[in-house]
Amino acid sequence: MPAPSSHAPTSTAPAQAKPVATAPADGSFRARFGPVALVVTAGVSVQFGAALAVMLMPRAGAAGVVTLRLAAAALVLLLVCRPKVRGYSRADWSTVVWFGVAMAGMNGFIYQAIDRIPLGPAVTLEVLGPLVLSVVVSRRLLNLLWAGLALAGVVLLSTHGGGGLGGLDPLGVAFALAAGGMWAAYIVFSARTGRRFPQADGLALAMAVAAVLSLPLGVIEAGSALLHPSTLLLGVGVAVLSSVLPYTLELLALRRLPAPTFAILMSLEPAIAATAGFLILNQALSALDAAAISLVIVASMGAVRSQTRPREPQLQPQPQPQPN
């Protein structure tokens, strides 16, 4: 999408003899790399929030943590955004409801996965969803090559120190893959919601839908434990780190970032998750893990460069000499 400043007003001054390059706007660097920074910040926040959630699971269970996370996030966003509910079409509401369904499924599945397998492998398998999405929607060969390199890193990281996926709980693996599918749907509906609703209004409404969907499962699993003060406090922390902050940043980024680039940037998630697991959960990295993370980071950087490389300056035509 061209920057708003790319259309300069027509000048009434006489034409110059030399070709003039269209100068980039002052905010061109921020316009190109700002969305990338938003996505990376969101990834750091969500993975450290997931590590905190692992510590909360013994108190409330996986479904209970999801309920706390989504309910607290919905409450915060509804209070901050105060979204209006009138003036939207049926298509608008359909989009926001499906966004909420994708959000609930993505959170529910990945928390069931990390309750059974380590955080790094779980997120590694989950990120296959965005990678597949990037291959499906991209029409540039270079993007497909970067996606292939990222996929190689994901596959290598999935061995988790050489043990292979066979050493992981099969149900945990299935939940992680299901979360990846819902993550791909989340990317699609997040972008659509950002275009249909102002600010973060659509996100707040979708978060409320996700909270309502997750509430019965959380109550069944955790019951009154959800109301314990320390559990509630940790749940709010997980909600802010894993939902409020990252989803808001991602929604803003998707308004200015192509979906293929956003999807491949999700390849950074295993690296961030492995780091969070190491720092918070004492899950050490092997040399094989580090090599896989390097592949994923290189692929992500290449994808970003291919999408954000500045175009060649357009030259204005030189004035032709007038006959005497």
Side-chain angles (χ1 to χ4, degrees):
M1 180 180 296
S5 58
S6 61
H7 301 285
T10 303
S11 174
T12 58
Q16 301 296 321
K18 295 182 180 180
V20 180
T22 303
D26 293 339
S28 60
F29 180 86
R30 181 180 301 176
R32 290 198 302 268
F33 294 99
V36 175
L38 292 177
V39 175
V40 173
T41 302
V44 172
S45 181
V46 74
Q47 295 308 329
F48 277 81
L52 179 61
V54 172
M55 302 171 64
L56 182 58
M57 282 181 184
R59 302 187 183 190
V65 172
V66 172
T67 296
L68 285 173
R69 168 181 170 174
L70 294 179
L75 181 61
V76 170
L77 286 173
L78 289 173
L79 290 175
V80 172
C81 299
R82 299 182 181 274
K84 65 177 184 178
V85 295
R86 296 182 180 180
Y88 296 113
S89 67
R90 180 177 299 181
D92 294 336
W93 282 112
S94 176
T95 298
V96 83
V97 167
W98 282 113
F99 186 23
V101 170
M103 199 181 302
M106 179 179 67
N107 283 278
F109 286 135
I110 192 57
Y111 275 60
Q112 291 293 335
I114 63 179
D115 193 33
R116 293 168 171 82
I117 61 179
L119 181 60
V123 176
T124 298
L125 293 169
E126 184 190 21
V127 83
L128 291 176
L131 280 173
V132 171
L133 176 65
S134 72
V135 173
V136 170
V137 303
S138 177
R139 297 183 179 180
R140 298 181 61 185
L141 178 60
L142 186 58
N143 277 349
L144 300 181
L145 294 176
W146 288 124
L149 182 60
L151 180 60
V154 167
V155 171
L156 185 60
L157 187 60
S158 68
T159 62
H160 196 62
L165 292 180
L168 299 176
D169 183 289
L171 188 57
V173 171
F175 278 130
L177 292 174
M182 298 306 291
W183 196 353
Y186 161 84
I187 292 173
V188 173
F189 286 105
S190 178
R192 293 180 183 179
T193 300
R195 291 191 293 266
R196 289 177 177 270
F197 291 81
Q199 306 300 325
D201 287 9
L203 175 62
L205 294 171
M207 190 71 74
V209 172
V212 170
L213 292 174
S214 68
L215 184 60
L217 296 176
V219 171
I220 291 173
E221 180 169 354
S224 60
L226 293 174
L227 301 179
H228 193 278
S230 61
T231 302
L232 282 174
L233 184 61
L234 286 173
V236 171
V238 172
V240 172
L241 287 175
S242 298
S243 295
V244 176
L245 180 60
Y247 291 168
T248 302
L249 295 177
E250 289 174 0
L251 186 143
L252 295 175
L254 277 166
R255 289 176 175 171
R256 296 178 288 169
L257 196 66
T261 302
F262 180 89
I264 299 177
L265 273 173
M266 294 298 98
S267 303
L268 286 171
E269 296 289 341
I272 300 171
T275 303
F278 173 73
L279 294 177
I280 298 179
L281 304 175
N282 296 319
Q283 296 175 350
L285 294 174
S286 69
L288 189 62
D289 293 333
I293 288 172
S294 298
L295 280 178
V296 172
I297 292 175
V298 168
S300 298
M301 291 177 63
V304 173
R305 285 183 59 83
S306 69
Q307 290 288 345
T308 60
R309 185 179 294 117
R311 298 179 180 178
E312 293 295 328
Q314 298 178 352
L315 301 181
Q316 296 178 357
Q318 297 185 24
Q320 298 297 324
Q322 299 294 329
N324 295 327

